[in-house]
Amino acid sequence: DADVTQTPRNRITKTGKRIMLECSQTKGHDRMYWYRQDPGLGLRLIYYSFDVKDINKGEISDGYSVSRQAQAKFSLSLESAIPNQTALYFCATSGQTRDEQFFGPGTRLTVL
Amino acid sequence: QKEVEQDPGPLSVPEGAIVSLNCTYSNSAFQYFMWYRQYSRKGPELLMYTYSSGNKEDGRFTAQVDKSSKYISLFIRDSQPSDSATYLCAMSPYNDYKLSFGAGTTVTVRA
């Protein structure tokens, strides 16, 4: 089984809809991250969490919110989706000892 | 100006060629340097991890870091079609735990 899983893998939605992307991990890591990936822009950090009670904004948090339900679960919400939020979304985790991050398989989100 | 610059390519080489990839950066606080490989429709996976300046070799892959020039490189020797992927550089300051990524370079190795 994959260490970092994301659901759904693909989602098409309409402008104005609320969307939740979910991430679960079995690596036992405290640190979790949400990124979006756009062509030519690489991976940009949306939110990150270093433990259940610690939530921090990344470089592009506007229009997004997150919830850390447990050590193993970190969800990303788009309260009112807009077309420029169409992108690949990745969840990642990292442990205590170094900065290496482990990525999930991604969610391809399309907002019409 | 982006904190990490990486030529997006694309780069196409024949099988067996040496692939050379590089990134430049502006933040002198970066201490940890990584290369990730991302296959189509997959998440990035760590390929190489280096700390501070110097070289690191792992099989056909060599990572180089030149902190004085703020420049890192990845070399792939004897490239194979299975090396066709997007390669992303990433880096972070000491004890920061957040990574700054390059845009990624798409590489195709032709059989």
Side-chain angles (χ1 to χ4, degrees):
Chain A
D1 287 343
D3 295 321
V4 184
T5 57
Q6 293 183 234
T7 56
R9 293 294 313 279
N10 291 282
R11 182 73 184 266
I12 299 173
T13 190
K14 294 182 179 179
T15 298
K17 295 291 187 181
R18 184 178 188 274
I19 297 297
M20 178 180 286
L21 309 183
E22 298 184 332
C23 176
S24 295
Q25 52 110 349
T26 59
K27 299 189 75 67
H29 288 165
D30 287 325
R31 301 187 178 102
M32 298 187 74
Y33 311 80
W34 275 105
Y35 292 91
R36 65 176 281 175
Q37 187 175 38
D38 300 274
L41 296 178
L43 287 160
R44 292 183 291 166
L45 184 63
I46 306 172
Y47 271 95
Y48 62 101
S49 168
F50 285 174
D51 64 44
V52 175
K53 297 181 180 179
D54 177 71
I55 302 289
N56 303 280
K57 293 182 177 180
E59 62 178 297
I60 54 162
S61 60
D62 286 349
Y64 302 95
S65 63
V66 291
S67 173
R68 185 81 183 266
Q69 301 94 328
Q71 186 207 35
K73 296 185 182 297
F74 192 34
S75 299
L76 175 72
S77 293
L78 288 67
E79 298 301 326
S80 180
I82 56 177
N84 78 358
Q85 291 177 314
T86 293
L88 264 175
Y89 290 85
F90 288 101
C91 172
T93 74
S94 67
Q96 296 281 354
T97 55
R98 68 180 198 179
D99 297 355
E100 175 185 358
Q101 293 184 14
F102 297 85
F103 285 82
T107 294
R108 184 172 296 275
L109 177 66
T110 303
V111 183
L112 301 176
Chain B
Q1 184 185 2
K2 293 181 184 178
E3 201 169 39
V4 181
E5 297 280 357
Q6 182 178 7
D7 187 339
L11 194 60
S12 179
V13 300
E15 184 175 356
I18 295 175
V19 177
S20 174
L21 305 169
N22 58 76
C23 291
T24 58
Y25 62 94
S26 57
N27 188 347
S28 58
F30 287 146
Q31 295 284 342
Y32 299 98
F33 303 91
M34 285 151 263
W35 286 94
Y36 281 81
R37 178 175 61 194
Q38 184 178 17
Y39 291 115
S40 181
R41 301 186 181 282
K42 302 285 187 182
E45 56 180 350
L46 184 71
L47 192 59
M48 298 286 283
Y49 182 102
T50 56
Y51 170 69
S52 199
S53 285
N55 293 357
K56 183 174 182 179
E57 190 172 316
D58 184 1
R60 297 184 294 110
F61 299 89
T62 300
Q64 291 183 349
V65 175
D66 181 349
K67 290 187 66 181
S68 63
S69 300
K70 297 189 178 67
Y71 186 90
I72 70 170
S73 301
L74 177 72
F75 299 97
I76 308 173
R77 292 183 299 280
D78 188 24
S79 58
Q80 303 295 310
S82 59
D83 295 324
S84 298
T86 296
Y87 292 81
L88 302 109
C89 62
M91 46 200 81
S92 67
Y94 178 72
N95 270 350
D96 188 284
Y97 308 112
K98 300 193 303 294
L99 298 180
S100 294
F101 284 87
T105 301
T106 299
V107 175
T108 300
V109 180
R110 308 185 306 272

